[in-house]
Amino acid sequence: MVKHIVLTGGAGFIGSHVAEHFFHAYPQAQLTIIDKMTYAADIDNLRSIIQDPRVRLAVGDICDYAFVSRYIAEADLVIHAAAESHVDNSFGNSLPFTMTNVYGTHVILEACRLHKTPRIIHVSTDEVYGEVLEGANDESAPMNPTNPYSASKAGAEMILRGFLNCYRMPIVIVRANNIFGIRQFPEKIIPKFSLLLHKGMKLTIHGDGSNRRHFLAAQDFAEALQLLVEKGVIGEAYNIGSEDEFTNNEVAAMLCAQFGYDPKDWVTYVEDRPFNDRRYALHFEKIKALGWRQNRSITNMISDVVQWYRDHADRYEYYLRSPEFLGLKK
Ligand SMILES: NC(=O)c1ccc[n+]([C@@H]2O[C@H](COP(=O)([O-])OP(=O)(O)OC[C@H]3O[C@@H](n4cnc5c(N)ncnc54)[C@H](O)[C@@H]3O)[C@@H](O)[C@H]2O)c1
């Protein structure tokens, strides 16, 4: 029985969905959320659970060993989701990516090793495999990262492999597709475009908009994590994928449709970023064999998700006023 969960990055987008899910899935467990509260975090993301005495928010940096060790000492499950997560930022200044994603993961692993944590889930990404133009990667595919963000996530996995090999630590790795849902910071395509359209502003797409991504609901992802806590084989990596694949142009059109707008009038194109993977794709038979299913689709959820961003537009007002943030100025 899980008694005390430590979740890193729980005040961010995915972390907050994972926090909610595990709070309800393990009603007897304490939940300690470690989060540095970077620009991507918001205390409001935890509004539904933060007042409960079972939940504690520890504000601090995963790179601070003394800080994380104190909390990990009490945990029988550690879910490590904290990261610098936005690829575009990693083209600007990639050093925080290596610091948090590689060194921070190393710190978490070292604390787990010292305290003999019985279960560790490491949240990685499909981007560690790099671009996949056709077909899909299963978990045995080599890592081939193509940008500073994915390189730092692959670096974290390398440290983790060393720990797995030397100390046989009880770690399960998850590599997921793009995740969508409410509470995502509007640097990512769905919240950003929803808010721009809500404000009556045009959308800017990098390149020609033909880049493709798979989209998985945050709740489906949280359910997969629970299954892996209970049934995941130690030392294994599991892809968590979605059947829903769309180009950026299709995502823009889907969002315009929510506002009754014709994309021809609302989409503009800007120069692409230095390198923009055209497609990522996963085989996810391994987690399906454990009983996981994708239960939600973006087409069914998009109107509720867009409505949430419209209802919470004030929260992001500051960023929507910044041309730099909107990608309109260097
Ligand atoms: N968003 C996606 O589509 C996606 C897909 C696959 C995997 N992932 C992975 O899932 C995880 C969560 O991603 P997200 O989209 O929720 O990111 P996010 O940026 O919304 O949240 C990251 C959280 O980590 C915290 N954090 C950052 N640096 C920290 C540090 N040094 N110490 C403590 N906390 C720190 C932030 O404050 C924030 O709350 C990441 O590991 C990411 O690589 C994301």
Side-chain angles (χ1 to χ4, degrees), residues 8-16 34-42 45 60-63 67 80-86 96 99-101 104 122-127 149 153 174-180 183-185 187-188 221:
T8 70
F13 162 52
I14 296 175
S16 68
I34 294 181
D35 203 298
K36 189 177 161 184
M37 306 304 289
T38 68
Y39 73 94
D42 196 319
N45 288 345
D61 194 330
I62 57 163
C63 298
F67 169 71
H80 175 39
E84 285 293 338
S85 70
H86 190 44
M99 199 60 192
T100 287
N101 300 357
H122 173 73
V123 178
S124 190
T125 167
D126 60 353
E127 296 198 30
Y149 161 70
K153 295 295 286 186
V174 298
R175 300 179 185 139
N177 278 154
N178 263 31
I179 315 276
F180 75 93
R183 305 195 292 256
Q184 187 169 32
F185 191 75
E187 59 197 353
K188 313 271 171 33
F221 178 75

Short mmCIF file of all heavy atoms in Angstrom, two decimals, residues 8-16 34-42 45 60-63 67 80-86 96 99-101 104 122-127 149 153 174-180 183-185 187-188 221, ligand 1:
data_model
loop_
_atom_site.label_atom_id
_atom_site.label_comp_id
_atom_site.label_asym_id
_atom_site.label_seq_id
_atom_site.Cartn_x
_atom_site.Cartn_y
_atom_site.Cartn_z
N THR A 8 7.55 15.40 -7.99
CA THR A 8 8.26 16.63 -8.36
C THR A 8 7.54 17.28 -9.55
O THR A 8 6.97 16.58 -10.39
CB THR A 8 9.73 16.36 -8.73
OG1 THR A 8 9.78 15.65 -9.97
CG2 THR A 8 10.46 15.58 -7.65
N GLY A 9 7.55 18.60 -9.58
CA GLY A 9 6.91 19.32 -10.68
C GLY A 9 5.39 19.30 -10.61
O GLY A 9 4.71 19.55 -11.61
N GLY A 10 4.84 19.06 -9.43
CA GLY A 10 3.38 18.88 -9.28
C GLY A 10 2.57 20.15 -9.44
O GLY A 10 1.35 20.08 -9.57
N ALA A 11 3.23 21.33 -9.43
CA ALA A 11 2.46 22.57 -9.62
C ALA A 11 2.47 23.01 -11.09
O ALA A 11 1.93 24.05 -11.44
CB ALA A 11 3.02 23.68 -8.74
N GLY A 12 3.09 22.20 -11.95
CA GLY A 12 3.07 22.48 -13.39
C GLY A 12 1.86 21.83 -14.04
O GLY A 12 0.92 21.39 -13.36
N PHE A 13 1.89 21.75 -15.34
CA PHE A 13 0.74 21.25 -16.10
C PHE A 13 0.46 19.77 -15.82
O PHE A 13 -0.53 19.41 -15.16
CB PHE A 13 0.98 21.52 -17.58
CG PHE A 13 0.13 20.73 -18.52
CD1 PHE A 13 -1.25 20.71 -18.38
CD2 PHE A 13 0.69 19.98 -19.55
CE1 PHE A 13 -2.06 19.96 -19.24
CE2 PHE A 13 -0.09 19.24 -20.42
CZ PHE A 13 -1.46 19.23 -20.26
N ILE A 14 1.34 18.90 -16.30
CA ILE A 14 1.09 17.46 -16.16
C ILE A 14 1.11 17.07 -14.68
O ILE A 14 0.26 16.31 -14.21
CB ILE A 14 2.16 16.65 -16.93
CG1 ILE A 14 2.05 16.94 -18.43
CG2 ILE A 14 2.01 15.15 -16.66
CD1 ILE A 14 3.13 16.29 -19.27
N GLY A 15 2.08 17.65 -13.96
CA GLY A 15 2.20 17.32 -12.53
C GLY A 15 0.90 17.56 -11.78
O GLY A 15 0.52 16.77 -10.91
N SER A 16 0.19 18.63 -12.12
CA SER A 16 -1.04 18.93 -11.37
C SER A 16 -2.13 17.90 -11.68
O SER A 16 -2.93 17.55 -10.81
CB SER A 16 -1.53 20.35 -11.67
OG SER A 16 -1.98 20.46 -13.01
N ILE A 34 7.00 18.60 -4.63
CA ILE A 34 8.21 19.44 -4.64
C ILE A 34 8.20 20.25 -5.93
O ILE A 34 8.11 19.67 -7.02
CB ILE A 34 9.48 18.57 -4.60
CG1 ILE A 34 9.57 17.83 -3.26
CG2 ILE A 34 10.73 19.42 -4.86
CD1 ILE A 34 10.83 16.97 -3.12
N ASP A 35 8.24 21.55 -5.80
CA ASP A 35 8.22 22.38 -7.01
C ASP A 35 8.94 23.70 -6.76
O ASP A 35 8.76 24.32 -5.71
CB ASP A 35 6.76 22.64 -7.46
CG ASP A 35 6.69 22.99 -8.93
OD1 ASP A 35 7.27 24.01 -9.32
OD2 ASP A 35 6.06 22.23 -9.70
N LYS A 36 9.73 24.10 -7.72
CA LYS A 36 10.47 25.37 -7.61
C LYS A 36 9.59 26.57 -7.93
O LYS A 36 9.99 27.72 -7.74
CB LYS A 36 11.64 25.30 -8.61
CG LYS A 36 12.66 26.38 -8.53
CD LYS A 36 13.77 26.08 -9.56
CE LYS A 36 14.59 27.28 -9.90
NZ LYS A 36 15.56 26.96 -10.95
N MET A 37 8.39 26.32 -8.43
CA MET A 37 7.46 27.38 -8.82
C MET A 37 8.09 28.31 -9.86
O MET A 37 8.19 29.51 -9.67
CB MET A 37 6.94 28.18 -7.60
CG MET A 37 6.32 27.32 -6.53
SD MET A 37 4.97 26.24 -7.06
CE MET A 37 3.63 27.36 -7.38
N THR A 38 8.54 27.72 -10.97
CA THR A 38 9.05 28.52 -12.08
C THR A 38 7.86 29.20 -12.77
O THR A 38 6.70 29.01 -12.37
CB THR A 38 9.76 27.63 -13.13
OG1 THR A 38 8.78 26.81 -13.76
CG2 THR A 38 10.85 26.77 -12.51
N TYR A 39 8.15 29.93 -13.84
CA TYR A 39 7.08 30.61 -14.58
C TYR A 39 5.98 29.63 -15.01
O TYR A 39 4.83 30.01 -15.20
CB TYR A 39 7.67 31.29 -15.84
CG TYR A 39 8.03 30.27 -16.90
CD1 TYR A 39 7.12 29.96 -17.92
CD2 TYR A 39 9.23 29.55 -16.84
CE1 TYR A 39 7.42 28.98 -18.85
CE2 TYR A 39 9.53 28.57 -17.76
CZ TYR A 39 8.62 28.29 -18.75
OH TYR A 39 8.90 27.29 -19.66
N ALA A 40 6.32 28.33 -15.17
CA ALA A 40 5.36 27.35 -15.69
C ALA A 40 4.43 26.80 -14.61
O ALA A 40 3.46 26.12 -14.93
CB ALA A 40 6.10 26.20 -16.37
N ALA A 41 4.73 27.10 -13.35
CA ALA A 41 3.94 26.56 -12.25
C ALA A 41 2.90 27.58 -11.80
O ALA A 41 3.04 28.78 -12.05
CB ALA A 41 4.87 26.24 -11.08
N ASP A 42 1.86 27.10 -11.16
CA ASP A 42 0.85 27.99 -10.60
C ASP A 42 0.20 27.27 -9.42
O ASP A 42 -0.27 26.14 -9.59
CB ASP A 42 -0.20 28.35 -11.67
CG ASP A 42 -1.03 29.56 -11.28
OD1 ASP A 42 -1.40 29.66 -10.09
OD2 ASP A 42 -1.31 30.40 -12.15
N ASN A 45 -3.06 25.71 -9.95
CA ASN A 45 -3.17 24.39 -10.60
C ASN A 45 -3.53 23.31 -9.59
O ASN A 45 -4.01 22.24 -9.96
CB ASN A 45 -1.84 24.02 -11.28
CG ASN A 45 -1.59 24.85 -12.53
OD1 ASN A 45 -2.50 25.50 -13.04
ND2 ASN A 45 -0.36 24.82 -13.03
N GLY A 60 10.93 24.48 -3.63
CA GLY A 60 12.39 24.43 -3.68
C GLY A 60 12.86 23.76 -4.95
O GLY A 60 12.05 23.31 -5.78
N ASP A 61 14.16 23.68 -5.06
CA ASP A 61 14.80 23.25 -6.31
C ASP A 61 15.21 21.78 -6.21
O ASP A 61 15.85 21.38 -5.23
CB ASP A 61 16.04 24.14 -6.52
CG ASP A 61 16.59 24.05 -7.92
OD1 ASP A 61 16.47 22.99 -8.55
OD2 ASP A 61 17.17 25.06 -8.38
N ILE A 62 14.90 21.00 -7.23
CA ILE A 62 15.32 19.58 -7.21
C ILE A 62 16.85 19.45 -7.30
O ILE A 62 17.38 18.38 -7.08
CB ILE A 62 14.66 18.73 -8.31
CG1 ILE A 62 14.93 19.29 -9.71
CG2 ILE A 62 13.18 18.54 -8.04
CD1 ILE A 62 14.65 18.31 -10.82
N CYS A 63 17.52 20.55 -7.63
CA CYS A 63 19.00 20.48 -7.68
C CYS A 63 19.61 20.62 -6.28
O CYS A 63 20.82 20.47 -6.12
CB CYS A 63 19.54 21.59 -8.58
SG CYS A 63 18.99 21.40 -10.28
N PHE A 67 17.61 19.63 0.41
CA PHE A 67 16.18 19.93 0.38
C PHE A 67 15.37 18.71 -0.05
O PHE A 67 14.45 18.28 0.65
CB PHE A 67 15.94 21.13 -0.56
CG PHE A 67 14.51 21.39 -0.90
CD1 PHE A 67 13.63 21.91 0.04
CD2 PHE A 67 14.03 21.12 -2.18
CE1 PHE A 67 12.30 22.15 -0.27
CE2 PHE A 67 12.69 21.37 -2.51
CZ PHE A 67 11.83 21.88 -1.54
N HIS A 80 8.85 11.49 -10.59
CA HIS A 80 9.71 12.64 -10.94
C HIS A 80 9.27 13.23 -12.28
O HIS A 80 9.57 12.69 -13.35
CB HIS A 80 11.16 12.16 -11.00
CG HIS A 80 12.10 13.21 -11.47
ND1 HIS A 80 12.00 14.54 -11.12
CD2 HIS A 80 13.20 13.14 -12.28
CE1 HIS A 80 12.96 15.23 -11.69
NE2 HIS A 80 13.71 14.41 -12.41
N ALA A 81 8.55 14.35 -12.18
CA ALA A 81 8.04 15.00 -13.40
C ALA A 81 8.59 16.41 -13.58
O ALA A 81 8.37 17.02 -14.63
CB ALA A 81 6.50 15.05 -13.37
N ALA A 82 9.30 16.95 -12.60
CA ALA A 82 9.81 18.33 -12.72
C ALA A 82 10.79 18.41 -13.88
O ALA A 82 11.61 17.51 -14.07
CB ALA A 82 10.51 18.76 -11.43
N ALA A 83 10.69 19.48 -14.64
CA ALA A 83 11.63 19.67 -15.75
C ALA A 83 11.47 21.07 -16.31
O ALA A 83 10.44 21.72 -16.12
CB ALA A 83 11.35 18.66 -16.87
N GLU A 84 12.50 21.52 -16.99
CA GLU A 84 12.34 22.62 -17.95
C GLU A 84 11.78 21.92 -19.18
O GLU A 84 12.41 21.00 -19.72
CB GLU A 84 13.68 23.27 -18.26
CG GLU A 84 14.21 24.16 -17.15
CD GLU A 84 13.36 25.41 -16.93
OE1 GLU A 84 12.63 25.82 -17.84
OE2 GLU A 84 13.43 25.97 -15.83
N SER A 85 10.60 22.34 -19.63
CA SER A 85 9.86 21.50 -20.56
C SER A 85 9.64 22.09 -21.96
O SER A 85 9.08 21.42 -22.82
CB SER A 85 8.48 21.16 -19.96
OG SER A 85 7.67 22.31 -19.94
N HIS A 86 10.04 23.35 -22.17
CA HIS A 86 9.64 23.96 -23.44
C HIS A 86 10.80 24.03 -24.43
O HIS A 86 11.78 24.77 -24.21
CB HIS A 86 9.06 25.36 -23.18
CG HIS A 86 8.41 25.94 -24.39
ND1 HIS A 86 7.58 25.23 -25.22
CD2 HIS A 86 8.48 27.18 -24.93
CE1 HIS A 86 7.16 25.99 -26.21
NE2 HIS A 86 7.69 27.17 -26.06
N PRO A 96 19.76 26.00 -18.16
CA PRO A 96 18.82 25.54 -17.12
C PRO A 96 18.23 24.16 -17.45
O PRO A 96 17.81 23.43 -16.54
CB PRO A 96 17.72 26.61 -17.12
CG PRO A 96 18.30 27.78 -17.80
CD PRO A 96 19.35 27.30 -18.74
N MET A 99 20.74 21.72 -16.24
CA MET A 99 20.78 21.78 -14.78
C MET A 99 19.58 21.04 -14.18
O MET A 99 19.76 20.10 -13.40
CB MET A 99 20.75 23.27 -14.37
CG MET A 99 21.23 23.54 -13.00
SD MET A 99 22.94 22.99 -12.80
CE MET A 99 23.08 23.10 -11.05
N THR A 100 18.40 21.43 -14.55
CA THR A 100 17.21 20.80 -13.93
C THR A 100 17.01 19.38 -14.44
O THR A 100 16.79 18.45 -13.65
CB THR A 100 15.95 21.67 -14.22
OG1 THR A 100 16.04 22.84 -13.43
CG2 THR A 100 14.67 20.92 -13.89
N ASN A 101 17.08 19.19 -15.75
CA ASN A 101 16.66 17.90 -16.30
C ASN A 101 17.70 16.81 -16.10
O ASN A 101 17.33 15.64 -15.90
CB ASN A 101 16.31 18.05 -17.79
CG ASN A 101 15.18 19.05 -18.02
OD1 ASN A 101 14.62 19.59 -17.06
ND2 ASN A 101 14.84 19.31 -19.26
N GLY A 104 19.33 17.75 -11.90
CA GLY A 104 18.20 17.61 -10.96
C GLY A 104 17.74 16.16 -10.87
O GLY A 104 17.46 15.65 -9.78
N HIS A 122 9.99 7.68 -13.44
CA HIS A 122 10.67 8.82 -14.07
C HIS A 122 9.90 9.21 -15.34
O HIS A 122 9.71 8.38 -16.25
CB HIS A 122 12.10 8.44 -14.43
CG HIS A 122 12.79 9.50 -15.23
ND1 HIS A 122 13.20 10.70 -14.68
CD2 HIS A 122 13.09 9.58 -16.55
CE1 HIS A 122 13.75 11.45 -15.61
NE2 HIS A 122 13.68 10.80 -16.77
N VAL A 123 9.49 10.47 -15.40
CA VAL A 123 8.72 10.95 -16.55
C VAL A 123 9.67 11.47 -17.62
O VAL A 123 10.33 12.50 -17.46
CB VAL A 123 7.72 12.05 -16.12
CG1 VAL A 123 6.96 12.57 -17.33
CG2 VAL A 123 6.76 11.52 -15.07
N SER A 124 9.75 10.73 -18.73
CA SER A 124 10.57 11.16 -19.85
C SER A 124 9.64 11.53 -21.02
O SER A 124 8.45 11.82 -20.80
CB SER A 124 11.55 10.04 -20.22
OG SER A 124 12.50 10.51 -21.15
N THR A 125 10.13 11.51 -22.22
CA THR A 125 9.35 12.02 -23.35
C THR A 125 9.64 11.24 -24.64
O THR A 125 10.73 10.66 -24.78
CB THR A 125 9.68 13.52 -23.60
OG1 THR A 125 9.17 13.93 -24.85
CG2 THR A 125 11.18 13.78 -23.60
N ASP A 126 8.69 11.26 -25.55
CA ASP A 126 8.91 10.63 -26.86
C ASP A 126 10.03 11.33 -27.64
O ASP A 126 10.61 10.77 -28.56
CB ASP A 126 7.62 10.60 -27.70
CG ASP A 126 7.03 11.97 -28.01
OD1 ASP A 126 7.53 12.99 -27.47
OD2 ASP A 126 6.06 12.04 -28.78
N GLU A 127 10.33 12.58 -27.22
CA GLU A 127 11.33 13.35 -27.97
C GLU A 127 12.73 12.77 -27.82
O GLU A 127 13.62 13.13 -28.59
CB GLU A 127 11.29 14.83 -27.56
CG GLU A 127 9.96 15.48 -27.91
CD GLU A 127 10.02 16.99 -27.93
OE1 GLU A 127 11.08 17.54 -28.23
OE2 GLU A 127 8.98 17.61 -27.65
N TYR A 149 16.46 20.53 -25.39
CA TYR A 149 15.50 19.96 -24.43
C TYR A 149 15.55 18.44 -24.46
O TYR A 149 15.75 17.78 -23.43
CB TYR A 149 14.07 20.44 -24.74
CG TYR A 149 12.98 19.58 -24.12
CD1 TYR A 149 12.77 19.59 -22.74
CD2 TYR A 149 12.18 18.75 -24.91
CE1 TYR A 149 11.79 18.78 -22.16
CE2 TYR A 149 11.20 17.95 -24.35
CZ TYR A 149 11.01 17.97 -22.97
OH TYR A 149 10.03 17.16 -22.41
N LYS A 153 16.72 15.53 -21.66
CA LYS A 153 15.86 14.42 -21.19
C LYS A 153 16.55 13.08 -21.46
O LYS A 153 16.46 12.15 -20.64
CB LYS A 153 14.48 14.46 -21.85
CG LYS A 153 13.63 15.66 -21.52
CD LYS A 153 13.22 15.75 -20.06
CE LYS A 153 12.14 14.76 -19.67
NZ LYS A 153 11.65 14.98 -18.28
N VAL A 174 8.80 6.41 -18.16
CA VAL A 174 7.68 6.59 -19.09
C VAL A 174 8.05 7.63 -20.14
O VAL A 174 8.60 8.68 -19.82
CB VAL A 174 6.36 6.99 -18.39
CG1 VAL A 174 5.92 5.91 -17.43
CG2 VAL A 174 6.46 8.30 -17.67
N ARG A 175 7.74 7.29 -21.38
CA ARG A 175 8.01 8.22 -22.49
C ARG A 175 6.68 8.48 -23.19
O ARG A 175 6.13 7.56 -23.81
CB ARG A 175 9.00 7.61 -23.47
CG ARG A 175 10.35 7.28 -22.84
CD ARG A 175 11.29 6.66 -23.85
NE ARG A 175 12.53 6.24 -23.22
CZ ARG A 175 13.16 5.10 -23.51
NH1 ARG A 175 12.67 4.26 -24.41
NH2 ARG A 175 14.28 4.78 -22.90
N ALA A 176 6.20 9.71 -23.05
CA ALA A 176 4.85 10.01 -23.57
C ALA A 176 4.90 10.93 -24.77
O ALA A 176 5.83 11.70 -24.96
CB ALA A 176 4.01 10.65 -22.46
N ASN A 177 3.82 10.84 -25.55
CA ASN A 177 3.55 11.80 -26.63
C ASN A 177 3.26 13.17 -26.03
O ASN A 177 3.18 13.32 -24.82
CB ASN A 177 2.27 11.38 -27.37
CG ASN A 177 2.49 10.32 -28.41
OD1 ASN A 177 1.58 9.57 -28.72
ND2 ASN A 177 3.68 10.25 -28.96
N ASN A 178 2.98 14.15 -26.90
CA ASN A 178 2.50 15.46 -26.45
C ASN A 178 1.25 15.28 -25.60
O ASN A 178 0.35 14.55 -25.99
CB ASN A 178 2.07 16.30 -27.66
CG ASN A 178 3.16 17.23 -28.10
OD1 ASN A 178 4.34 16.94 -27.95
ND2 ASN A 178 2.75 18.37 -28.64
N ILE A 179 1.20 16.00 -24.49
CA ILE A 179 0.04 15.90 -23.61
C ILE A 179 -0.75 17.20 -23.75
O ILE A 179 -0.16 18.28 -23.87
CB ILE A 179 0.48 15.74 -22.14
CG1 ILE A 179 1.60 14.70 -22.00
CG2 ILE A 179 -0.69 15.42 -21.23
CD1 ILE A 179 1.22 13.29 -21.91
N PHE A 180 -2.09 17.09 -23.72
CA PHE A 180 -2.90 18.31 -23.76
C PHE A 180 -3.89 18.29 -22.60
O PHE A 180 -4.15 17.25 -22.00
CB PHE A 180 -3.65 18.44 -25.10
CG PHE A 180 -4.83 17.50 -25.20
CD1 PHE A 180 -6.10 17.93 -24.83
CD2 PHE A 180 -4.67 16.20 -25.64
CE1 PHE A 180 -7.19 17.07 -24.90
CE2 PHE A 180 -5.76 15.33 -25.71
CZ PHE A 180 -7.01 15.76 -25.34
N ARG A 183 -4.82 23.92 -17.83
CA ARG A 183 -3.72 24.32 -16.93
C ARG A 183 -2.34 24.23 -17.57
O ARG A 183 -1.34 24.30 -16.87
CB ARG A 183 -3.74 23.50 -15.63
CG ARG A 183 -5.05 23.56 -14.87
CD ARG A 183 -4.91 23.05 -13.46
NE ARG A 183 -4.65 21.66 -13.37
CZ ARG A 183 -5.56 20.73 -13.02
NH1 ARG A 183 -6.81 21.09 -12.75
NH2 ARG A 183 -5.24 19.47 -12.93
N GLN A 184 -2.27 24.10 -18.89
CA GLN A 184 -0.96 24.06 -19.54
C GLN A 184 -0.49 25.50 -19.78
O GLN A 184 -1.27 26.34 -20.24
CB GLN A 184 -1.06 23.31 -20.87
CG GLN A 184 0.28 23.08 -21.54
CD GLN A 184 0.20 22.12 -22.72
OE1 GLN A 184 -0.82 22.07 -23.42
NE2 GLN A 184 1.24 21.36 -22.95
N PHE A 185 0.76 25.77 -19.53
CA PHE A 185 1.26 27.13 -19.70
C PHE A 185 1.19 27.52 -21.18
O PHE A 185 1.55 26.71 -22.05
CB PHE A 185 2.71 27.24 -19.19
CG PHE A 185 3.16 28.65 -19.11
CD1 PHE A 185 2.71 29.49 -18.10
CD2 PHE A 185 4.01 29.17 -20.07
CE1 PHE A 185 3.11 30.81 -18.05
CE2 PHE A 185 4.41 30.49 -20.03
CZ PHE A 185 3.96 31.32 -19.01
N GLU A 187 2.72 28.70 -23.53
CA GLU A 187 3.81 28.68 -24.50
C GLU A 187 3.57 27.53 -25.48
O GLU A 187 4.15 27.50 -26.56
CB GLU A 187 5.15 28.49 -23.78
CG GLU A 187 5.22 27.20 -22.97
CD GLU A 187 6.32 27.16 -21.92
OE1 GLU A 187 7.15 28.07 -21.89
OE2 GLU A 187 6.33 26.21 -21.13
N LYS A 188 2.71 26.58 -25.09
CA LYS A 188 2.44 25.41 -25.92
C LYS A 188 1.23 25.68 -26.82
O LYS A 188 0.39 26.53 -26.50
CB LYS A 188 2.20 24.16 -25.05
CG LYS A 188 3.25 23.96 -23.92
CD LYS A 188 4.43 23.15 -24.37
CE LYS A 188 5.62 23.04 -23.44
NZ LYS A 188 5.58 23.02 -22.05
N PHE A 221 -2.79 10.08 -19.34
CA PHE A 221 -1.40 9.93 -18.92
C PHE A 221 -1.33 9.58 -17.42
O PHE A 221 -0.59 8.67 -17.02
CB PHE A 221 -0.63 11.23 -19.20
CG PHE A 221 0.80 11.19 -18.75
CD1 PHE A 221 1.74 10.48 -19.46
CD2 PHE A 221 1.19 11.86 -17.59
CE1 PHE A 221 3.08 10.43 -19.03
CE2 PHE A 221 2.52 11.82 -17.17
CZ PHE A 221 3.46 11.10 -17.89
N1 LIG B 1 3.96 18.60 -21.96
C1 LIG B 1 4.15 17.54 -22.72
O1 LIG B 1 3.54 17.42 -23.79
C2 LIG B 1 5.10 16.43 -22.29
C3 LIG B 1 5.16 15.25 -23.06
C4 LIG B 1 6.00 14.22 -22.63
C5 LIG B 1 6.73 14.37 -21.46
N2 LIG B 1 6.67 15.52 -20.76
C6 LIG B 1 7.45 15.60 -19.51
O2 LIG B 1 6.49 15.71 -18.45
C7 LIG B 1 7.04 16.46 -17.37
C8 LIG B 1 6.11 17.60 -17.01
O3 LIG B 1 5.96 18.44 -18.16
P1 LIG B 1 4.94 19.67 -18.15
O4 LIG B 1 4.49 19.86 -19.54
O5 LIG B 1 3.93 19.51 -17.09
O6 LIG B 1 5.93 20.85 -17.78
P2 LIG B 1 5.64 22.23 -17.04
O7 LIG B 1 6.71 23.13 -17.54
O8 LIG B 1 4.22 22.63 -17.15
O9 LIG B 1 5.91 21.90 -15.49
C9 LIG B 1 7.17 21.63 -14.99
C10 LIG B 1 7.14 21.85 -13.49
O10 LIG B 1 8.45 21.57 -12.97
C11 LIG B 1 8.80 22.60 -12.08
N3 LIG B 1 10.27 22.75 -12.06
C12 LIG B 1 11.07 23.16 -13.08
N4 LIG B 1 12.34 23.20 -12.69
C13 LIG B 1 12.36 22.78 -11.40
C14 LIG B 1 13.39 22.60 -10.45
N5 LIG B 1 14.67 22.85 -10.75
N6 LIG B 1 13.06 22.15 -9.21
C15 LIG B 1 11.76 21.90 -8.90
N7 LIG B 1 10.74 22.07 -9.75
C16 LIG B 1 11.03 22.51 -11.00
C17 LIG B 1 8.12 23.85 -12.62
O11 LIG B 1 7.99 24.85 -11.61
C18 LIG B 1 6.80 23.28 -13.09
O12 LIG B 1 5.84 23.27 -12.06
C19 LIG B 1 8.43 16.91 -17.83
O13 LIG B 1 9.36 16.00 -17.30
C20 LIG B 1 8.37 16.80 -19.34
O14 LIG B 1 9.65 16.56 -19.88
C21 LIG B 1 5.87 16.56 -21.13
#
